[in-house]
């Protein structure tokens, strides 16, 4: 079996709408040149599409025509190294998905501890953001919550009272272990995040659980987030105004 046949057979097993890279095609370094030519032929035939340099997908067919993969799938090569998650989508794209804003941004931010990901998906620009802690498949949803607290003041078109309630509900749905980890990760974030989280968690959490957040703050410092006690009853106790 030559390289072109090997690649067609491998791609034939890939599900429509999923992205893939060269290293998923089982080719050796010696076969790379022939593989590149084979890939280009498949693109010209319309059997696969290029997302960006070295990233491709099989278009999914529907009665309305070809469907593009979901945003998360298009960005998967930048969010994972093999099966290990190393990044997550943040910024306004995340806050739109969370229901904190209705605005759709033409820039997608990807948080990563080490990777500096800058690329374009059509007209959408992908920019890198440094994450505060190492990212795993089990913690990135907690980091999303902390990012929302960090950027709360600058989220466009945000109804602050509804936003506080939405984030509060997300935190309440976490299990005890996740809440403990959320506090641990928050200690790596700016003080305003720790204060905001403490104010939210103090409503339904045991006092001893949130001691690390309280002790990490300077009692002489206040945090201007545009939040009052009508929006969050405990805000003044956590130096939030």
């Amino acid at each position: 079996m030559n390289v072109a046949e090997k690649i067609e057979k491998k791609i034939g097993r890939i599900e429509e709408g999923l992205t893939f890279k060269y290293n998923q095609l089982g080719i050796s370094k010696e076969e790379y040149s022939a593989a590149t030519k084979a890939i280009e032929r498949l693109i010209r035939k319309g059997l696969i599409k290029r997302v960006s340099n070295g990233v491709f997908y099989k278009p999914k067919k529907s009665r309305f025509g070809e469907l593009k993969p979901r945003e998360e799938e298009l960005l998967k090569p930048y969010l994972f190294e093999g099966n290990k998650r190393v990044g997550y989508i943040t910024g306004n794209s995340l806050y739109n998905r969370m229901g904190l804003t209705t605005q759709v941004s033409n820039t997608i931010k990807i948080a990563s501890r080490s990777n500096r990901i800058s690329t374009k998906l059509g007209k959408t620009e992908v920019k890198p953001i440094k994450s505060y802690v190492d990212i795993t498949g089990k913690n990135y949803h907690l980091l999303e919550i902390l990012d929302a607290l960090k950027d709360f003041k600058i989220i466009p078109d945000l109804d602050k009272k509804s936003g506080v309630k939405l984030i509060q509900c997300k935190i309440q749905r976490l299990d005890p272990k996740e809440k403990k980890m959320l506090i641990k990760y928050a200690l790596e974030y700016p003080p305003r995040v720790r204060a905001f989280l403490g104010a939210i968690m103090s409503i339904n959490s045991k006092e001893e659980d949130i001691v690390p957040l309280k002790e990490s703050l300077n009692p002489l410092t206040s945090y201007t987030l545009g939040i009052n006690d009508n929006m969050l009853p405990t805000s003044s106790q956590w130096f939030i105004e």
Side-chain angles (χ1 to χ4, degrees), residues 32-191:
Y32 189 86
S33 179
T36 301
K37 293 176 182 177
I39 288 287
E40 291 299 329
R41 282 195 295 270
L42 293 176
I43 291 173
R44 287 196 295 270
K45 290 179 181 179
L47 298 178
I48 62 175
K49 303 282 186 180
R50 178 182 281 111
V51 177
S52 58
N53 189 31
V55 183
F56 315 93
Y57 71 92
K58 287 173 62 178
K60 192 171 185 176
K61 312 288 185 182
S62 77
R63 61 195 180 100
F64 302 109
E66 290 184 356
L67 300 177
K68 274 190 172 184
R70 296 175 294 106
E71 181 182 88
E72 182 87 7
E73 180 62 31
L74 287 172
L75 291 167
K76 189 176 179 181
Y78 309 103
L79 303 177
F80 291 84
E81 288 181 356
N83 294 321
K84 181 184 177 183
R85 179 178 280 273
V86 294
Y88 64 94
I89 297 171
T90 188
N92 289 340
S93 296
L94 167 63
Y95 310 142
N96 176 276
R97 177 160 51 85
M98 291 176 73
L100 295 170
T101 179
T102 57
Q103 284 199 15
V104 179
S105 176
N106 59 359
T107 299
I108 296 174
K109 295 179 179 179
I110 294 183
S112 177
R113 189 70 161 168
S114 55
N115 292 357
R116 300 292 293 174
I117 302 145
S118 295
T119 187
K120 294 199 77 171
L121 299 177
K123 295 181 180 179
T124 303
E125 190 172 3
V126 180
K127 292 185 175 181
I129 296 290
K130 183 80 170 176
S131 66
Y132 288 87
V133 299
D134 292 330
I135 299 164
T136 71
K138 294 182 178 180
N139 74 3
Y140 76 96
H141 68 293
L142 302 176
L143 306 183
E144 290 176 343
I145 293 173
L146 295 175
D147 284 1
L149 296 178
K150 174 176 68 71
D151 293 338
F152 193 84
K153 191 177 178 181
I154 59 172
I155 296 175
D157 293 339
L158 172 65
D159 180 293
K160 291 184 177 179
K161 186 172 184 178
S162 297
V164 169
K165 187 68 177 176
L166 191 152
I167 294 173
Q168 184 180 4
C169 289
K170 285 185 175 293
I171 293 172
Q172 285 176 346
R173 287 197 291 267
L174 299 176
D175 62 39
K177 184 178 178 181
E178 288 175 318
K179 289 178 180 178
K180 186 176 180 180
M181 294 305 295
L182 185 68
I183 292 173
K184 177 184 175 182
Y185 295 137
L187 296 176
E188 303 298 327
Y189 274 71

Side-chain angles (χ1 to χ4, degrees), residues 100 145-155 158 160-161 163-165 167-168 171 182 186 190-203 210 213 217 223-228 231-232 234-235 238-240:
L100 295 170
I145 293 173
L146 295 175
D147 284 1
L149 296 178
K150 174 176 68 71
D151 293 338
F152 193 84
K153 191 177 178 181
I154 59 172
I155 296 175
L158 172 65
K160 291 184 177 179
K161 186 172 184 178
V164 169
K165 187 68 177 176
I167 294 173
Q168 184 180 4
I171 293 172
L182 185 68
R192 68 180 183 278
V193 176
R194 307 198 297 267
F196 202 169
L197 179 62
I200 291 176
M201 294 192 71
S202 62
I203 295 175
I210 54 176
L213 293 173
L217 300 174
Y223 309 97
T224 306
L225 300 176
I227 296 173
N228 55 41
M231 301 177 189
L232 184 59
T234 54
S235 60
W238 288 81
F239 324 117
I240 296 172

Side-chain angles (χ1 to χ4, degrees), residues 197-216:
L197 179 62
I200 291 176
M201 294 192 71
S202 62
I203 295 175
N204 294 302
S205 300
K206 296 177 181 178
E207 185 68 30
E208 59 266 27
D209 292 339
I210 54 176
V211 166
L213 293 173
K214 196 77 168 184
E215 290 182 344
S216 73

